[in-house]
Structure formats: structure tokens, C-alpha cells
Amino acid sequence: MRRVIMMTGAGALLLSLQAMAATSTPAGDDAAVMARGAYLATASDCTACHTAPGGKPMAGGLAIASPVGDIIASNITPSTSDGIGDYSEQDFARALRKGVRADGANLYPAMPYTAYAHLSDDDIHALYVYFMKGVTPVNEPTGTTNLPFPMNLRFSMKFWNLLFLKDGVITPDPQHSETWNRGRYLVEGPAHCSTCHTPRGILMQEKGDQWLAGAQVGPWYAPNITPDVTSGIGSWSRQDLVTYLKTGRIDRAQAAGSMAEAIEHSFQHLTDDDLKAMATYLGTLPAIRTGDDGSSAEEDNRFERGSPGSDLSFRGTSYAKGLKGDSEGAQLYAAHCASCHNYDGQGTADGYYPSLYHNAALGGDTASNLLAAILYGVDRETQNGHFFMPPFGDQPNAVTSLDNEQIAALANYLLERYGNPDVSVSSQDVQSIRDGGPASNILMLARVGMAAGGIVLVVVLIAVILHRRRRR
Ligand code: HEC
Ligand code: HEC
Ligand code: HEC
């Protein structure tokens, strides 16, 4: 059941007066403000979470998997019965920046308010106008979120906010160019890159000292995008990054999973100036070295690993015959992958089917994206075209389903030949990606037993608060 916001007549009048005051711009400006609001909603990718697959725009209902259970995204259409039609601009600003609903209850940080906290007053206003006037109201309730104790206590998020919600509309830094400042605003605020790319601590907070240094998000791994040359994207030019955000691909990296979605819904629609601004800012961040392969050679970055296959058995007429003696991995590759990625793993000349050596999915310190690509495939549609690789998982529509042992054999063969030979996977690793990604600490806490988990959580919170106090 969805909560209904109760208001006295006077309260309602006051709210609508406030809303009117806040939105009363000259008629000509209205269209411009609406357009800005729509652009910001796209840049912030509100639809990624608030529109369910096949559902009505912004009507919510999508269950967002968290380590402690599903969190249902709200209906944020201007419906007064089921959406945010009764929200004043102040309520709206508070939800976006402070993670508090109009009725005063706290939101879970599955709603990325720690990033939206950086939105400027003007942008909040434009978003509000767009949501109230540009989005069609949908009078349909969403399901409710039922997390286990103690996570069901929404007020516990107040403690979380005390620790991890930084106050902060971003003010321009005069030391830097306008482009850089715009990039910083977009990256840290609306585009919320860190929601996926920053590793999280035990309480699911983003780790500040590991900002954008790479994190597991479900079955996919959002890699290190700091300018470190070996672990991050320091070897990319600014234009590489702009191209990737616009199209989802460069020769060394292709976007699948949640990054493909973010590009489809959001980044590809941003202006070139905004994409350049983000790339400019990201290029000036502190470089963070992750993983310890002991190498610092610039050419040994994760986009340069591997080389074309040289199996004689893969060439010419001896191909079919030669395969008999080859490893299971090689045979699986020939049977299921070579038709697109080619016998030497070099892909096609036009680049539509990418090369598997010098490829981000195989050269990094984790095989998550290789395993996820095999299990879930790639399906990304942008102005640049439709890129599709079939899934080999247990989807009902999968043409071929490979089992865990087969995928492990295939992946180990590919890592050895085309990727990072120091990484290898087991069939359990494949199962974990099949199950939606490695479990996190919080899940363990929850599994220890709800009450025990609650006690641990409270003790940890108190310890952290005391620690902070002492440091101040
Ligand atoms: C990464 C997912 C995600 C994105 C992106 C996102 N939201 Fe949310 N939002 C949620 C979830 C989940 C909830 C419900 C959380 C809860 O119940 O505690 C929510 C709740 C809200 C609420 C509270 C509504 C209510 O009364 O229940 C508002 C308002 C809102 N979002 C607005 C927005 C706007 C505007 C944007 C884009 C600027 C946006 N959200 C982007 C996940 C997201
Ligand atoms: C919803 C989660 C999510 C958000 C938000 C997100 N990313 Fe990603 N990103 C990913 C995932 C997952 C991958 C890995 C995709 C793959 O390789 O198939 C990725 C890959 C990348 C890569 C390629 C890196 C490599 O080594 O292959 C770059 C660059 C990147 N993201 C930049 C950004 C920037 C910049 C932003 C913000 C403007 C952003 N991402 C926001 C999830 C996300
Ligand atoms: C029908 C053609 C086809 C087949 C068969 C195929 N792929 Fe792909 N593969 C693609 C396409 C298309 C892409 C994505 C290109 C893009 O995103 O721009 C891709 C991308 C990939 C990526 C990069 C994904 C990422 O997120 O970075 C990997 C790794 C990969 N394939 C491995 C495999 C393996 C292993 C097999 C065999 C099990 C296989 N592919 C079979 C067409 C195919």
C-alpha cells in the first residue's frame, strides 16, 4: 500500500502557493526551464531506476537489488494519488539532496541522493518544473519495500546520513577553467559516476579515498576510471573517453550491463561540450593504482594485454582436424565465439565484432566482465547502432547455454591467451556471476540473523561515530 500524503486544506494551500511562487517565471522562460529540466533528468538518468522495463515513464516499480533485499523505486510522476504530485519544490529538493520523502521518512541510499546533494538550486528548480509539468501523471501504485530488520527502520538512515551524506552544492573552483568546473559538477552530481565506480565499505558507503577506483556492481565490474596509466584509464585520450560515453565503445573497451544502460538512457544524449567537460575533469583526478601486479610499465596497462592467437590448428584446412587435440577451452571458443570474434581473437576488420586481446574485459585484475559478457551477452543501442552479442547463460531464449565448468574452461583459455594470465576462474566464480555477483558484507550481516545483524550494525555505527568525534 502506498502512503498518501495527508494535508489540511490550509497546508495544501500553503504548499501550492509556495510551488506557484517557486515556478512563476515569465511565460517565455518556462519552455527554456522545462527543456533544461528534461536535459538534467536525462543527465541524472532518473529513468534508469524510476521506469520499470516495459513500464510507463517514471512510474516506478522497478525492484533495485541491494545486498539486503530489493528496494522498490517510487512512482515519481506528478500523480497526486500515487506519485509526487503533492510535493512542493522544497519537498522535492529535500528528497533529492537529503534523501527524505515528503512525509518525513528517510529514503534508502539506493536513491543516489549523496550525488544529487551537489545539484544547484537552479537545477533543482528546473527538474521540479519538468517533473510537475513535463511528465505524464500515472495513477498506479508501486509495490512496497520490505527489508529485513534492522534495515526496515528507515530512521536508521539518519545515522547513515550523519556519517556519509556530505552537504554540498558544488561551488565553482576559480583555480580551474569553466570546462573543468562544469565537468566536476556533472561527474559528482547529476551523472553520479561514483555510484557504480567507487568501491563501498562495510555500511555500503562509498569509500572516499578510493573514489572511482573500481567496484563490483552486481555481475559486472565498473573499472577504475582514475587517470592511473596501468590500472585506470590514464592511457585513454580525452577524445577516447568522449567517444566511449557517446557510443559505448572504443577499440579497447565496449560497454555492456549497467554501463550500456547508462549510455543508452543518459550519456549519449549529453552535448559534446558536456562530455568533453567530464573527460577534462576526470583526467585531473588523483591517479589510484589498484591491484598489485607489481608492474608499472606504461605499456603493461589492462588495455594492452594479450596478443593474437597463433594456434596452427586455428588456421586454414587443418583447423577442424587440429582441434581434436586442443583444450576444452579452445574447442568451446571455436564452436561458440570464433564465428564473430574470429579465429585469432582479432575480431572483424570493421571493428563491429571486437578484438578479444587488448580488450578491457580480459586484461584487468578481475574476470567479472568476461564472465558476465558470456553469461548475459551484450545488447546496446545508441545513435551509433545496435551492438548485440547473444547470452550463453540460462536465459530461456539463449540459443546455447554453457554450464559453469564449460564457461570456466573457456574463460581460463581466453585469459591465458588474450588477457591477463595472472587471473583464473573456477566454476564457483562462474556461479557467483550467474547468481548476480559476489555477496557483500552487509548480506553476511543480514544472514547472521536479523537481530544479531542489527546489534552488529548498531555497534559498528556507534564505534564509527565515536571514532569520528575523537578525531574532531
Ligand atoms: C540508482 C537508482 C535511482 C536513480 C538514478 C534515481 N532514483 Fe529516485 N529513488 C530511487 C529509489 C530506489 C527510491 C525509493 C527509495 C526508498 O523507498 O527508500 C527513490 C525515491 C525517489 C523519490 C521519493 C519519492 C517518494 O515519495 O517515495 C524522489 C522524489 C525521487 N526518487 C526522485 C528522483 C529524481 C528526480 C531522479 C533523477 C534526478 C532520481 N530519483 C534518480 C532510485 C533512484
Ligand atoms: C549504473 C552503473 C554505472 C554508472 C552510473 C557509470 N558506470 Fe561506467 N561502467 C559501469 C560498468 C558496469 C562498466 C563495465 C562495462 C563493460 O566493460 O562492459 C563501466 C565501464 C566504464 C568505462 C570503461 C572502463 C574500462 O576499463 O573498460 C568508463 C571509461 C566508464 N565506465 C566511465 C563512466 C563515467 C565517466 C561515468 C559517469 C559519467 C560512469 N561510467 C557511470 C557502470 C557504471
Ligand atoms: C553473434 C556474434 C557474437 C558471438 C557468437 C560472440 N560474441 Fe562476444 N561480442 C559480440 C559483440 C557484437 C560484442 C559487443 C561489441 C560492442 O559492444 O561494441 C561482443 C563483446 C564481447 C566482449 C566484450 C564485452 C565487454 O563488456 O567488454 C567479450 C569479452 C566477448 N564478446 C566474448 C565472447 C565470448 C567468450 C564468446 C563465446 C562464448 C562470444 N563473445 C561470442 C559478438 C559476439
Side-chain angles (χ1 to χ4, degrees):
M1 265 243 312
R2 187 139 167 122
R3 100 214 107 80
V4 180
I5 301 160
M6 305 285 275
M7 275 190 303
T8 62
L13 184 66
L14 188 67
L15 281 184
S16 51
L17 283 177
Q18 282 171 341
M20 272 164 64
T23 56
S24 64
T25 37
D29 286 356
D30 240 25
V33 173
M34 280 272 280
R36 239 205 33 243
Y39 182 78
L40 281 160
T42 300
S44 317
D45 209 359
C46 312
T47 204
C49 301
H50 287 285
T51 305
K56 302 202 178 101
M58 306 295 179
L62 182 71
I64 297 176
S66 90
V68 288
D70 285 350
I71 298 173
I72 314 288
S74 319
N75 176 335
I76 56 167
T77 70
S79 155
T80 46
S81 57
D82 301 292
I84 59 169
D86 287 331
Y87 269 59
S88 68
E89 186 168 329
Q90 283 79 357
D91 293 336
F92 186 75
R94 195 164 66 138
L96 263 69
R97 292 184 184 149
K98 308 263 183 219
V100 177
R101 286 194 314 217
D103 67 355
N106 281 87
L107 295 169
Y108 295 111
M111 160 76 185
Y113 57 86
T114 51
Y116 299 150
H118 302 307
L119 288 170
S120 70
D121 290 345
D122 279 356
D123 283 353
I124 290 273
H125 172 65
L127 275 167
Y128 180 72
V129 173
Y130 169 70
F131 272 93
M132 291 303 147
K133 298 185 186 162
V135 174
T136 313
V138 177
N139 301 328
E140 284 164 21
T142 63
T144 36
T145 300
N146 292 309
L147 297 187
F149 177 85
M151 309 293 172
N152 62 339
L153 305 175
R154 284 181 175 269
F155 71 80
S156 63
M157 291 301 126
K158 286 194 203 306
F159 300 106
W160 194 92
N161 291 344
L162 214 59
L163 294 170
F164 306 122
L165 176 61
K166 287 195 208 88
D167 230 356
V169 172
I170 294 177
T171 45
D173 179 347
Q175 303 284 312
H176 288 279
S177 67
E178 211 175 295
T179 303
W180 184 94
N181 276 301
R182 174 72 179 160
R184 176 185 176 203
Y185 178 71
L186 288 167
V187 165
E188 296 190 9
H192 64 279
C193 315
S194 71
T195 309
C196 298
H197 284 275
T198 301
R200 294 186 182 254
I202 181 151
L203 294 174
M204 295 306 290
Q205 82 282 15
E206 291 176 17
K207 289 184 180 165
D209 58 345
Q210 293 283 303
W211 207 64
L212 300 180
Q216 191 77 34
V217 270
W220 300 90
Y221 186 80
N224 182 333
I225 55 167
T226 73
D228 188 79
V229 179
T230 53
S231 328
I233 55 170
S235 63
W236 293 28
S237 70
R238 193 175 72 155
Q239 187 54 45
D240 284 340
L241 186 50
V242 169
T243 305
Y244 183 90
L245 293 173
K246 187 106 201 152
T247 67
R249 70 194 324 258
I250 56 170
D251 54 353
R252 289 152 284 168
Q254 299 80 39
S258 46
M259 187 66 189
E261 286 170 24
I263 289 169
E264 272 185 20
H265 299 145
S266 178
F267 308 145
Q268 66 155 328
H269 302 291
L270 299 189
T271 63
D272 286 354
D273 281 350
D274 276 350
L275 293 177
K276 278 184 203 141
M278 293 203 287
T280 301
Y281 169 66
L282 286 166
T284 64
L285 288 173
I288 300 177
R289 177 71 45 94
T290 39
D292 48 357
D293 56 6
S295 163
S296 58
E298 300 217 339
E299 63 277 10
D300 192 27
N301 68 60
R302 61 197 167 86
F303 307 103
E304 301 290 336
R305 294 208 172 100
S307 56
S310 55
D311 289 337
L312 264 185
S313 55
F314 272 10
R315 293 177 189 280
T317 49
S318 60
Y319 159 62
K321 217 165 54 181
L323 269 185
K324 292 210 173 78
D326 269 321
S327 69
E328 188 190 2
Q331 297 196 21
L332 287 164
Y333 180 77
H336 302 295
C337 321
S339 56
C340 292
H341 293 287
N342 234 320
Y343 294 113
D344 288 338
Q346 78 273 41
T348 47
D350 65 0
Y352 180 89
Y353 297 116
S355 155
L356 294 185
Y357 49 87
H358 302 181
N359 188 310
L362 288 90
D365 293 327
T366 147
S368 284
N369 289 346
L370 171 60
L371 298 179
I374 299 173
L375 284 164
Y376 301 102
V378 182
D379 191 354
R380 188 187 66 246
E381 192 152 14
T382 66
Q383 296 143 344
N384 191 42
H386 186 194
F387 289 85
F388 180 79
M389 161 170 158
F392 293 88
D394 37 26
Q395 296 82 357
N397 62 346
V399 175
T400 313
S401 295
L402 299 176
D403 66 29
N404 292 348
E405 254 98 64
Q406 289 175 309
I407 293 179
L410 172 61
N412 286 328
Y413 165 79
L414 292 172
L415 288 164
E416 174 77 37
R417 179 134 328 199
Y418 298 129
N420 185 351
D422 295 337
V423 175
S424 68
V425 297
S426 65
S427 50
Q428 285 94 304
D429 294 332
V430 181
Q431 183 62 42
S432 133
I433 300 298
R434 206 186 275 278
D435 291 340
S440 86
N441 299 326
I442 282 232
L443 184 61
M444 267 174 51
L445 282 189
R447 281 196 181 146
V448 165
M450 292 188 285
I455 292 164
V456 174
L457 189 75
V458 169
V459 170
V460 171
L461 275 172
I462 292 172
V464 178
I465 291 171
L466 287 178
H467 179 69
R468 288 254 170 139
R469 287 253 168 85
R470 215 166 289 146
R471 276 210 312 210
R472 264 184 219 150

